[in-house]
């Protein structure tokens, strides 16, 4: 009897202290948005969060199209200062990002990072919210060909006045790096929220992360909730930055083939592990008809997606129900 | 401990476990007030306290919480620690009040229910660190009165009929 | 009536028990009244400057608030359980253009002023929202 009592009390004392997960949170103001990071961990995550803020800031500078920074050859530099035919060495981070994007484009050429000239034309009309560019204007723009960008052993050369715009894929790429940085430092339970781009690690409770997908028509509403862990959830849609002219909506995602904004759907949301690829694929799927997109995703076991059609109908890939 | 006592205590333990399990399937008010129960298992605890004493009552209480943890709530999670603290505190409180001899067995049972709920709420506050747990306090306290009275009356009757000594 | 209960009570328990029960009853009733006076239905809005929570606003009361953003004062208005930025110093005034928000799925973000306004309510179940 006494032995039993002792054993019980020893058990209580030994197992009594339940490990508590603290939440470390940080807001980073960068890339035209607020990035919110929550890390669930027993050990202090403040240092790693500082490093992640540095990471985002570095890439923010490197991918900035509109500002120049001393001693940094960033996108602004490449687009506006670098001479045609001149070869310069790039920061390896920017080099890798451009290289990664060009490799992706070789297989999926709708996702084009050299569309700066085309995007600028539409941006002009979108900012004034009136009119659309004429056929002549669109055809008269300078090059949007990615083959005018040559990468060679850490250096870059442009063969024309092509302009890079990494807008639709930079956030996903850096978010993937941020997630990898967290995981390699032993923080595997986290959620990085960057507007239309969310990456989560291992679940911090018995439930996976619940992520809501905003209804493109009624922004106060969530039209779908997904349960994910170790995944990225990325949405591409025309409803956040668009303008309407003569009854037609023009989104900010321009199709390099038609030279007009894509309008096959209201939004598409991609779920897959890698955030960079998720960002690329969500942009890609936005620019092809929904039926083509469904066929593509169904033939790819790493990706699931959900589409919100122009008619309000919802379409999902075959394995999407795993996340519902 | 002699065989007779061991056997009888095992029976009491089993009864308290069964009562506890039955109660867990009958949540009052649809579970909107967590921790609210009639406390039938306490009948056994009080009986043990009056028949044998503090040590035996604590033993049965704690083992009961463990077994019910194994079977229903889960071991070493929040509900487990809430139950454990409630059970332990209420037995000690009842023992002390019994010694002081102010209250009758019914009053002691009410105090047992009271202290059980108070201990559970404070434990949940310290573990969860949210103020909102205190919202349930008035409701739990007011229910300890009728439940304590019922448990007390039943215990009183049982003690009259079963005299193990 | 009370006397009847008293007599029945004395059969079951003793005088001290009855006193105990009356005391508990009174304490509980008072605390329930107390809680309901101070209860505020409706959600809160939290205003952050960078990472720091600088203001917590009860949305059930209409009012105007001033906070210091990076570029100067930011005026916040609460009306009909909704909140918005009324005025702020920024090049495109995107912050005040965002208008009223009233649900936990929405956030007002003022990048130039580094101010974020979030609503906290009962439906905290979502970990995040993709927009």
């Amino acid at each position: 009897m006494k032995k039993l009592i002792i054993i019980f009390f020893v058990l209580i004392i030994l197992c009594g202290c339940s490990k508590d997960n603290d939440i470390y949170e940080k807001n980073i103001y960068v890339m035209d948005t607020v990035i919110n990071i929550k890390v669930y961990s027993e050990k202090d995550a403040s240092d790693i969060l500082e490093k992640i803020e540095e990471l985002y800031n570095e890439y923010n500078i490197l991918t900035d199209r509109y500002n120049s920074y001393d001693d940094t050859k960033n996108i602004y530099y490449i687009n506006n200062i670098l001479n045609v035919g001149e070869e310069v060495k790039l920061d390896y981070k920017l080099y890798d990002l451009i290289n990664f994007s060009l490799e992706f484009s070789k297989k999926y050429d709708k996702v084009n990072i050299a569309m700066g000239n085309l995007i600028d034309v539409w941006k002009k009309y979108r900012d004034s919210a009136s009119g659309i560019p004429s056929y002549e204007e669109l055809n008269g723009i300078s090059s949007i060909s990615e083959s005018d960008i040559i990468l060679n052993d850490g250096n870059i050369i442009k063969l024309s006045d092509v302009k890079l715009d990494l807008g639709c894929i930079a956030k996903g790429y850096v978010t993937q790096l941020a997630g990898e940085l967290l995981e390699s430092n032993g923080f595997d339970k986290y959620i990085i929220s960057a507007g239309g781009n969310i990456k989560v690690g291992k679940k911090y409770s018995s439930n996976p992360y619940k992520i809501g997908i905003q209804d493109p028509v009624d922004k106060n509403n969530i039209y779908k909730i997904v349960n994910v862990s170790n995944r990225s959830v990325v949405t591409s849609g025309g409803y956040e930055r668009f303008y309407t002219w003569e009854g037609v909506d023009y989104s900010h995602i321009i199709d390099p083939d038609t030279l007009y904004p894509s309008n096959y759907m209201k939004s598409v949301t991609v779920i897959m592990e890698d955030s960079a690829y998720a960002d690329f694929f969500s942009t890609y799927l936005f620019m092809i008809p929904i039926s083509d997109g469904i066929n593509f995703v169904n033939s790819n076991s790493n990706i699931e997606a959900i589409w919100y059609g122009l008619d309000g109908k919802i379409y999902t890939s075959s394995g999407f129900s795993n996340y519902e | 401990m002699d065989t007779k006592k061991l056997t009888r205590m095992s029976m009491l333990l089993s009864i308290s476990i069964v009562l506890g399990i039955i109660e867990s399937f009958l949540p009052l008010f649809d579970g909107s007030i967590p921790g609210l129960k009639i406390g039938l298992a306490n009948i056994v605890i009080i009986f043990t306290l009056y028949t044998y004493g503090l040590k035996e009552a604590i033993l049965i209480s704690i083992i009961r919480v463990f077994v019910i943890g194994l079977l229903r709530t889960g071991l070493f999670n929040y509900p487990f620690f809430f139950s454990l603290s409630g059970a332990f505190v209420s037995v000690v409180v009842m023992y002390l009040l019994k010694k002081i001899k102010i209250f009758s067995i019914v009053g002691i049972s009410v105090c047992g229910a009271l202290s059980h709920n108070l201990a559970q709420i404070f434990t949940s506050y310290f573990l969860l660190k949210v103020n909102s747990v205190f919202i349930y306090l008035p409701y739990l306290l007011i229910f300890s009165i009728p439940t304590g009275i019922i448990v007390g009356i039943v215990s009183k009757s049982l003690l009259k009929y079963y005299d193990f000594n | 009536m009370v006397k009847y209960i008293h007599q029945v009570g004395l059969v079951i328990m003793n005088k001290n028990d009855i006193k105990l029960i009356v005391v508990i009853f009174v304490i509980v009733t008072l605390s329930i009244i107390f809680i309901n006076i101070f209860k505020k239905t409706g959600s809160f809005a939290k205003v952050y400057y960078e990472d720091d929570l600088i203001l917590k606003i009860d949305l059930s009361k209409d009012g105007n608030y001033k906070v210091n953003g990076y570029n100067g004062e930011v005026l916040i208005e609460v009306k009909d359980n909704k909140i918005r930025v009324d005025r702020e110093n920024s090049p495109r005034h995107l912050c005040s253009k965002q208008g009223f928000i009233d649900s936990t799925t929405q956030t007002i973000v003022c990048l130039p002023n580094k101010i974020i306004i979030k609503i906290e309510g009962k439906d905290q179940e979502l970990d995040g929202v993709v927009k």
Side-chain angles (χ1 to χ4, degrees), chain B residues 106-136:
Chain B
V106 175
I108 289 184
S109 167
V110 171
C111 289
L114 267 179
S115 53
H116 190 112
N117 287 318
L118 278 168
Q120 279 196 309
I121 292 212
F122 277 99
T123 312
S124 68
Y125 174 66
F126 284 121
L127 285 181
L128 298 172
K129 297 180 186 130
V130 275
N131 283 325
S132 46
V133 293
F134 289 112
I135 298 183
Y136 300 114

Side-chain angles (χ1 to χ4, degrees), chain A residues 28-47:
Chain A
I28 304 174
Y29 296 71
V30 81
M31 291 177 183
D32 243 351
T33 184
V34 187
I35 300 179
N36 177 280
I37 306 181
K38 288 193 190 59
V39 178
Y40 300 87
S41 163
E42 297 142 28
K43 47 181 183 158
D44 198 318
S46 317
D47 284 341

